[in-house]
Amino acid sequence: MTKSTGVSSSPSKKLIAAKQAFGRSATDFPSLSAAEKKLIACSAKGEGCIFGDGTRPNSETAANRIRAELIRFLVLGGDANNPVHEEGVMLGGAWIAGELSLHLITTSLRLALANCHFDSTPNLMKANLPELFLGGSSLPGLMADGIAVTGSVFLRDGFAATGEVRLIGATVGTDLSCGNGSFTHTEGIALNAQALKVKGTLFLRDATINGSVDLTAAKIGTLVDDEECWESGGHHLDGFHYDRIIGQTNAEMRIRWLKRQKASQLVRDFRPQPWEQLIKVLRDAGHADHAARIAIAKQELMRKAPGQITGRWRRGLHWAYGWFAGYGHRPLWTLAWMGGVWLLCSLLFLAGAHYNYIGPSTPLLNSPTLAPAIDKACGHAGQPGLQKWTECSEVPAEYSTFQPFVYSLDLVLPLVDLQQDSDWAPIVEDPPGTDLLFGVILRWAMWFEILFGWVASLTLVAVLGRLVDKD
């Protein structure tokens, strides 16, 4: 029985060993180089393994070459004879040979590969890591769709990718730092971060991006950037959500930023969400004036975009609303227009009074006691020898004196009665009944000012009373 048990246990152990996945034992890596032995020893002690002076290598040598499969072995915790310290795998100045594939792995060990060169695109898709540091490293691209990092991701300080960096659907627990990094993919998207979720801050300040950035449906806490990192244009920002901006909040800069989106999303397939998101963030941060300027720019682009505001009348009214009140964001523009119309019409009525084209409009002056004396002393334009109506001495003193500036104000303010427009009006005919051209012009000016005053007043009430949606 004892012999039988001993014989049967040996094949069982061999079977277990045979089922162990490749790359999970140091025996799968024969002929370890001195550099690789150094990395294993440092990882066991929780120390950084630095080659040379720690700068990024320009060429592969025996002294700096590390197989990508060995890094994967260590990230997974090594084995019983080659354990990895809880500090994780920390490597600097290495040439990483082969594809580093961490696809679908879950580990509690952080990975820090500083100033390294990758000769193949790493595959970190759907990996679960506590922290990822690739600062200063160069690589032909990065595949990290669906990666979940509980801490931060560092692609900064000399990080250089010459192909697409993919972070589609990635989740970052704290910050994604790309400051002073270089992302180059001139034929397409350099940084593809669709549906990215960053609970902390996305740092892009001083980053060099040669290619477009795709932040479609991405959600982050804080955006830290500058204008230079967006210069390439063609960006995708539809659905991009962020809580605040650290950097320039200047409206002109931010308008230029949004205008660097993909061309079709500004014209043919206009996307309002990026504009509305920025307006909200700036308004919440107290930059109401900058938010208003961006909202005005958004409305102007909407009018130009096909299918957004249809019909000539609607487009015309939309344009007029923009000029008249800044689409509701500039009520002072309405007051300025009212002031301009008031002044212009005042000057017209002043000239009308001077050339005797303004006369009394009340029938009180036609009473039997006043009419004979007034008719002998006062006359219409073109009647020589008679006094001007506005200066006639026979008009009773209690009758209001014509004041062109007050008269114009009475017309442009529909809810104010200064008794000027009820006592005076343009003279449009001489006594024989011939039309007086200047008098007709004054009457049209009077009608225009009345209508303008009503439109302007109702606009102000609607805007200030928040009866219209300004955005």
Side-chain angles (χ1 to χ4, degrees):
M1 292 296 292
T2 303
K3 182 177 180 181
S4 174
T5 302
V7 171
S8 61
S9 64
S10 179
S12 176
K13 291 181 179 179
K14 290 182 180 180
L15 183 61
I16 293 173
K19 287 185 176 181
Q20 187 174 18
F22 178 82
R24 301 302 296 272
S25 171
T27 59
D28 295 326
F29 303 97
S31 306
L32 288 172
S33 66
E36 291 174 332
K37 291 178 181 178
K38 178 180 178 181
L39 174 60
I40 292 175
C42 289
S43 297
K45 298 176 182 178
E47 299 175 351
C49 181
I50 307 299
F51 298 120
D53 59 3
T55 58
R56 190 166 66 210
N58 295 319
S59 59
E60 177 185 359
T61 65
N64 63 27
R65 182 181 185 273
I66 299 291
R67 282 174 284 179
E69 294 91 341
L70 181 64
I71 296 175
R72 182 180 188 276
F73 163 71
L74 295 172
V75 170
L76 289 171
D79 58 18
N81 296 320
N82 301 278
V84 178
H85 193 275
E86 54 268 20
E87 286 289 335
V89 180
M90 297 173 286
L91 178 61
W95 185 283
I96 299 176
E99 178 189 1
L100 176 59
S101 177
L102 303 181
H103 183 213
L104 293 174
I105 75 152
T106 297
T107 181
S108 61
L109 301 174
R110 67 181 178 129
L111 177 61
L113 304 176
N115 301 320
C116 294
H117 175 82
F118 293 77
D119 63 13
S120 298
T121 299
N123 181 355
L124 310 183
M125 296 177 66
K126 297 185 178 180
N128 284 269
L129 304 171
E131 184 177 280
L132 176 63
F133 187 95
L134 296 176
S137 294
S138 63
L139 57 167
L142 177 63
M143 298 290 291
D145 295 356
I147 190 173
V149 181
T150 54
S152 295
V153 175
F154 300 93
L155 310 177
R156 67 183 190 190
D157 298 332
F159 172 89
T162 55
E164 183 178 8
V165 173
R166 294 174 58 96
L167 294 168
I168 299 175
T171 301
V172 180
T174 51
D175 301 328
L176 172 56
S177 181
C178 302
N180 294 312
S182 176
F183 302 80
T184 302
H185 192 208
T186 55
E187 297 180 358
I189 299 172
L191 178 57
N192 194 337
Q194 296 181 38
L196 168 72
K197 293 182 180 179
V198 178
K199 295 181 180 178
T201 301
L202 171 60
F203 292 93
L204 291 174
R205 183 174 296 172
D206 297 328
T208 302
I209 302 176
N210 297 309
S212 62
V213 177
D214 192 338
L215 289 168
T216 302
K219 294 182 180 181
I220 66 171
T222 302
L223 173 64
V224 179
D225 68 344
D226 53 27
E227 187 169 8
E228 289 73 16
C229 66
W230 302 103
E231 286 184 346
S232 295
H235 308 302
H236 302 251
L237 301 176
D238 188 36
F240 178 33
H241 285 266
Y242 45 96
D243 297 328
R244 64 174 182 152
I245 293 175
I246 294 179
Q248 295 187 50
T249 55
N250 177 272
E252 286 70 27
M253 177 267 167
R254 288 298 164 185
I255 290 171
R256 289 194 297 270
W257 170 48
L258 293 180
K259 285 186 175 180
R260 291 190 176 113
Q261 294 181 76
K262 186 178 179 181
S264 63
Q265 296 184 2
L266 294 173
V267 184
R268 183 179 66 253
D269 188 22
F270 182 77
R271 305 293 177 88
Q273 188 276 336
W275 300 83
E276 293 169 357
Q277 173 69 25
L278 180 58
I279 292 166
K280 178 183 181 300
V281 169
L282 292 183
R283 190 174 289 151
D284 290 346
H287 302 292
D289 184 67
H290 293 289
R293 279 185 270 173
I294 293 166
I296 291 170
K298 170 203 153 189
Q299 292 290 340
E300 291 174 347
L301 282 173
M302 285 180 63
R303 187 177 67 253
K304 297 174 183 178
Q308 292 294 315
I309 300 175
T310 57
R312 292 184 179 180
W313 280 105
R314 288 189 63 196
R315 290 168 64 85
L317 289 173
H318 187 268
W319 174 85
Y321 185 39
W323 272 97
F324 193 55
Y327 306 101
H329 295 279
R330 291 289 187 256
L332 290 180
W333 288 6
T334 307
L335 291 175
W337 277 106
M338 292 179 73
V341 170
W342 163 78
L343 180 60
L344 178 61
C345 291
S346 295
L347 296 176
L348 277 174
F349 297 134
L350 178 64
H354 177 75
Y355 293 106
N356 203 12
Y357 284 89
I358 299 291
S361 59
T362 177
L364 295 176
L365 299 183
N366 293 326
S367 66
T369 57
L370 295 176
I374 290 176
D375 288 342
K376 290 180 180 180
C378 310
H380 301 290
Q383 291 182 290
L386 298 178
Q387 299 177 43
K388 299 176 183 178
W389 277 110
T390 55
E391 300 175 2
C392 184
S393 60
E394 294 298 327
V395 175
E398 61 270 19
Y399 197 82
S400 65
T401 303
F402 180 75
Q403 301 289 341
F405 294 95
V406 180
Y407 181 77
S408 180
L409 189 65
D410 203 2
L411 296 176
V412 82
L413 298 177
L415 302 180
V416 175
D417 184 9
L418 302 176
Q419 294 189 342
Q420 283 281 300
D421 66 326
S422 59
D423 288 351
W424 300 95
I427 300 172
V428 296
E429 292 181 348
D430 61 11
T434 305
D435 289 342
L436 300 173
L437 178 60
F438 190 43
V440 174
I441 292 174
L442 290 175
R443 174 174 283 183
W444 278 101
M446 179 188 72
W447 289 342
F448 167 77
E449 192 169 13
I450 292 172
L451 180 61
F452 180 88
W454 274 107
V455 172
S457 298
L458 291 175
T459 300
L460 281 174
V461 169
V463 172
L464 297 179
R466 300 182 183 272
L467 300 179
V468 293
D469 183 4
K470 296 187 291 184
D471 294 335

